[in-house]
Amino acid sequence: MFKELFQYRDLLFMLTFRDIRIRYKQAAMGFLWALFMPLVAVAAGILIKKAMAVVSGQYVDLEGIISISVKVLPWTFFVSSIRFAVQSLVGNSDLVTKIYFPRAVLPISSVFACLFDLTIAMIFLAVLLTIVKIGISVQILWLPFLLAVLVLLTIGIGLVLSAANLFFRDVKYIVEIILMFGIFFTPVFYDAQAFGNWSTLLLLNPVGSILDAINRVVVLKQAPLMNWLSYATAVSAGIFFTGMKIFEAKESSFAENI
């Protein structure tokens, strides 16, 4: 499958560009749509954090707001990628049934299109952090690796769910429910360490471990916790290769079941 994906890399690029073009074509807000969902999520996070601060008698400082902003971007990338990937096979039924190409190109292109949105949002956030004079440290060099691990994990999950949704059409509804409430079980609006011994349960979620590491290298200017980073990397790689294997095993029956 890796060899075929490399051979069809031009198709992957074209489908990714098509998804981006369709998403922004005739959209009044244009590329601002890449910022809309993160901004809404950040606003919701600040509101929740403010409510928690009032109850505990504390206050929301600038670092807390920045922490939410930094973690919201990769979270919205993950959520958007999974949503689009789940529908990628069913939504391209004409392509799946009429011509041959590695079908994995479809969910992967959905993830790459959302990666484009993430890039725009990250540039915007970088400008804001520069304006408020939030410095960086050498630990920022971890960021590309952490994002690569997140992309690997997202592709693996997207491959499995896109195949499952083709055979069982109610999968997309289950995924929507999980993604809707998943933010409350992932350290996006809060820090996992605030829960003491319970933080282990939150960090067992590989997305939570990755977001925690991103927050450390960008906001706290610290190195990631190597035990949790190793765990997240291993789990992400395992899910990626398992997803590729499952997808490849079921690919031959896609056309007749779509």
Side-chain angles (χ1 to χ4, degrees):
M1 181 178 285
F2 286 111
K3 183 178 179 181
E4 279 196 325
L5 286 174
F6 181 76
Q7 291 174 343
Y8 283 82
R9 61 189 181 278
D10 291 337
L11 177 61
L12 176 59
F13 172 79
M14 290 174 61
L15 289 175
T16 301
F17 181 74
R18 182 204 64 175
D19 290 344
I20 295 172
R21 185 165 50 100
I22 291 175
R23 194 173 306 174
Y24 293 110
K25 185 179 181 181
Q26 296 180 336
M29 292 178 62
F31 290 116
L32 290 177
W33 277 111
L35 307 175
F36 181 72
M37 184 175 176
L39 286 174
V40 172
V42 168
I46 293 173
L47 184 63
I48 293 173
K49 201 170 184 67
K50 177 63 177 177
M52 294 172 63
V54 170
V55 173
S56 60
Q58 300 176 347
Y59 66 95
V60 181
D61 56 5
L62 179 61
E63 184 178 289
I65 296 175
I66 294 173
S67 177
I68 293 174
S69 304
V70 167
K71 290 186 288 186
V72 156
L73 296 189
W75 170 256
T76 52
F77 157 75
F78 175 77
V79 170
S80 300
S81 297
I82 296 302
R83 281 175 174 159
F84 283 112
V86 166
Q87 288 282 75
S88 60
L89 294 178
V90 176
N92 291 279
S93 56
D94 290 342
L95 288 176
V96 174
T97 55
K98 292 181 179 179
I99 61 174
Y100 175 78
F101 63 96
R103 308 300 194 261
V105 166
L106 294 171
I108 293 176
S109 67
S110 298
V111 175
F112 284 177
C114 293
L115 190 60
F116 176 80
D117 293 345
L118 175 63
T119 302
I120 294 176
M122 287 179 62
I123 293 173
F124 179 75
L125 179 62
V127 172
L128 287 182
L129 295 182
T130 302
I131 292 174
V132 298
K133 299 181 179 180
I134 298 298
I136 61 173
S137 70
V138 69
Q139 304 299 338
I140 199 72
L141 296 176
W142 280 101
L143 187 58
F145 175 77
L146 296 174
L147 293 177
V149 173
L150 180 61
V151 170
L152 203 69
L153 173 66
T154 306
I155 291 176
I157 296 175
L159 287 170
V160 173
L161 294 179
S162 62
N165 186 60
L166 189 146
F167 294 101
F168 308 100
R169 299 302 169 86
D170 51 352
V171 167
K172 63 181 179 182
Y173 302 114
I174 298 174
V175 170
E176 279 293 328
I177 294 173
I178 294 175
L179 293 177
M180 183 184 302
F181 295 101
I183 195 169
F184 299 108
F185 299 95
T186 308
V188 179
F189 295 155
Y190 53 83
D191 295 327
Q193 287 71 26
F195 287 81
N197 295 332
W198 290 91
S199 63
T200 301
L201 291 177
L202 296 173
L203 295 177
L204 282 175
N205 173 1
V207 179
S209 300
I210 296 170
L211 295 184
D212 181 74
I214 292 175
N215 182 64
R216 286 180 176 276
V217 302
V218 176
V219 181
L220 302 180
K221 303 177 180 62
Q222 301 174 359
L225 297 175
M226 296 310 298
N227 55 339
W228 285 113
L229 177 57
S230 301
Y231 164 79
T233 303
V235 171
S236 299
I239 291 177
F240 174 77
F241 287 109
T242 301
M244 293 286 280
K245 197 69 177 177
I246 293 174
F247 194 94
E248 186 177 22
K250 298 296 182 181
E251 187 174 6
S252 59
S253 55
F254 284 172
E256 61 190 57
N257 285 279
I258 203 165

